[in-house]
Amino acid sequence: MKRLIIIFLAVCNLAFGQPPKTEVQIEVVPDHSDWVYKLGEKIRFSVAVKRSGKLIPNTKIEYEIGPEKMEAFERKEALITSGQTVLEGGTLSHPGFLRCEVRATIDGKKYRGIATAAFSPLEIKPTAVVPEDFLTFWRSAIDDAEKHPLDPKLTLIPEKSTQTVNVYHVSFQNGAEKNSRIYGYLSIPKKEGKFPAMIRFPGAGVRAHSANLALAEKGIITLQIGIHGIPVNMEGDVYENLYRGALKGYPVFNLDSRDHYYFKRVYLGCVRSVDFIFNLPQFDEQNIAVSGSSQGGALSIVTAALDSRIKYVLAFCPALSDLTGFIHGRAGGWPNMFNKSNLGASTASAKIKTAGYYDVVNFARLLKIPGFYSWGFNDETTPPTSTYSFYNVITSPKELFILPYAAHYNYPEQTKKWNAWIEKVLTNYSH
């Protein structure tokens, strides 16, 4: 029977769990149940301000309506005597997303609600341009990386291991340059045999990681790595200090150089992580899939495009997609390197050119394998304009699950669909 590696890229910090609930809620909902409209079609937003589920009368609201992450074309105030009202939202004449943001101050506290409607989203075209030597650049980078020995190092951690699973702190060379290493936790079933594997690449941020015992106990080798070239088992304040200090703003480090941009070593590290798994004697050397959320979703698509060993790709709300959208007057992908606040410093031709070599759109064009994708329209971190930009260029078999109201979090409905898709592609898998 065929077996599968699942490479699971962890969601970024904001994507864990669900948005916190507050006593006061501002509910904003478009008048189409799927939140999708045709070009030129008028939209109406229903607004309700509630405390513990009951409408709050005589509430003053401020609202604005406009394309997501762009300047609003309407800003107004209103007093809603009943606690609910309907706002005329206008329309869009081009494919994209229209967002209604409502704010109110209740008992001295500020509250906010949004709804984001789609207009012909499957017609959104990316602004990202593919460099002429895109493939040559990455093939050469991977070839250079593989010239460095993997040099894997494993240290057993008895206190983290169980009766059925051994846990190791591991590292290996990522090949970006000499002595540049990737660190992580590896969990391996103790029983004899060959096993599939899961590699978890992290989402955005700088933090400690943990071993995944649950999957290993089910007979799946699990590797959880960090991307920053530092051990993953240090004290939490070390990562906090790095995030606030030396690694603050890492997504734009050396953006003016395609050869030294921060994510070059990260992308190469993703590919080398697959090499690491293939070097494990307990691995069954069969099928590979990649999966992840936010920055991890981006890395999953990049890895699937760069490594022909990958068989499936699953991605939640991928970041780093259509980065130049802001330059063209619409939402671009995280990390917003070309948005309004960065336009003065970030639109130099060298930075725009570098972005083309790392934009997820340009990797998505290369996908030849089945994929499952999911995000929400209310995502303000990885805007749906940017995620549809990569999705619409994929020519291989693809499935999209949209949860319209979802923000940059994991929701039970998405997790259920995600797991079902994994089970579907694991039909021929046996332990």
Side-chain angles (χ1 to χ4, degrees), residues 90-351:
T91 189
L92 288 181
S93 60
H94 57 275
F97 287 82
L98 189 64
R99 177 165 290 159
C100 177
E101 177 181 348
V102 180
R103 297 181 298 275
T105 300
I106 310 293
D107 298 332
K109 293 185 178 181
K110 296 181 179 180
Y111 298 91
R112 175 176 178 267
I114 66 170
T116 312
F119 285 81
S120 301
L122 293 176
E123 297 178 21
I124 292 175
K125 296 181 180 180
T127 63
V129 176
V130 186
E132 291 183 2
D133 61 344
F134 181 78
L135 278 176
T136 301
F137 170 75
W138 282 110
R139 285 171 178 165
S140 176
I142 292 172
D143 287 344
D144 288 342
E146 291 179 345
K147 292 176 183 177
H148 296 276
L150 193 61
D151 187 28
K153 296 181 180 179
L154 293 77
T155 302
L156 180 66
I157 310 175
E159 62 272 23
K160 290 185 178 292
S161 301
T162 68
Q163 291 183 345
T164 58
V165 175
N166 278 328
V167 175
Y168 302 83
H169 186 257
V170 303
S171 73
F172 50 90
Q173 291 206 87
N174 82 337
E177 55 189 45
K178 187 177 181 180
N179 297 324
S180 175
R181 301 186 72 81
I182 291 289
Y183 293 83
Y185 281 119
L186 176 68
S187 303
I188 301 182
K190 288 184 176 180
K191 62 184 179 182
E192 295 294 323
K194 298 286 187 177
F195 306 99
M198 170 184 280
I199 305 176
R200 300 184 62 183
F201 295 161
V206 185
R207 57 188 177 277
H209 298 288
S210 59
N212 193 313
L213 294 173
L215 289 172
E217 288 172 348
K218 294 180 179 179
I220 300 174
I221 297 169
T222 308
L223 174 66
Q224 169 70 61
I225 71 164
I227 64 170
H228 298 297
I230 54 178
V232 297
N233 60 348
M234 298 184 292
E235 295 297 325
D237 59 349
V238 173
Y239 303 101
E240 178 68 16
N241 291 336
L242 286 170
Y243 184 68
R244 302 296 179 187
L247 290 177
K248 184 177 182 179
Y250 74 84
V252 294
F253 285 178
N254 297 323
L255 183 57
D256 56 357
S257 170
R258 69 171 189 176
D259 294 308
H260 299 100
Y261 178 45
Y262 193 82
F263 275 98
K264 182 179 181 182
R265 70 174 302 281
V266 175
Y267 288 7
L268 292 176
C270 292
V271 176
R272 294 292 270 176
S273 296
V274 182
D275 294 337
F276 176 82
I277 289 294
F278 268 84
N279 275 271
L280 292 174
Q282 299 92 336
F283 172 53
D284 63 22
E285 301 182 2
Q286 295 291 327
N287 300 316
I288 300 177
V290 291
S291 175
S293 295
S294 196
Q295 177 182 270
L299 298 180
S300 66
I301 294 169
V302 169
T303 306
L306 292 179
D307 197 318
S308 61
R309 293 173 290 183
I310 306 303
K311 295 293 193 300
Y312 303 101
V313 57
L314 301 92
F316 273 174
C317 51
L320 290 158
S321 178
D322 208 39
L323 298 167
T324 50
F326 290 106
I327 298 174
H328 296 268
R330 72 186 210 193
W334 179 92
N336 309 316
M337 56 185 62
F338 299 119
N339 66 7
K340 183 178 179 180
S341 62
N342 293 320
L343 284 177
S346 297
T347 53
S349 59
K351 295 181 178 181

Side-chain angles (χ1 to χ4, degrees), residues 344-360:
S346 297
T347 53
S349 59
K351 295 181 178 181
I352 296 173
K353 183 177 180 180
T354 295
Y357 290 94
Y358 295 87
D359 199 304
V360 163

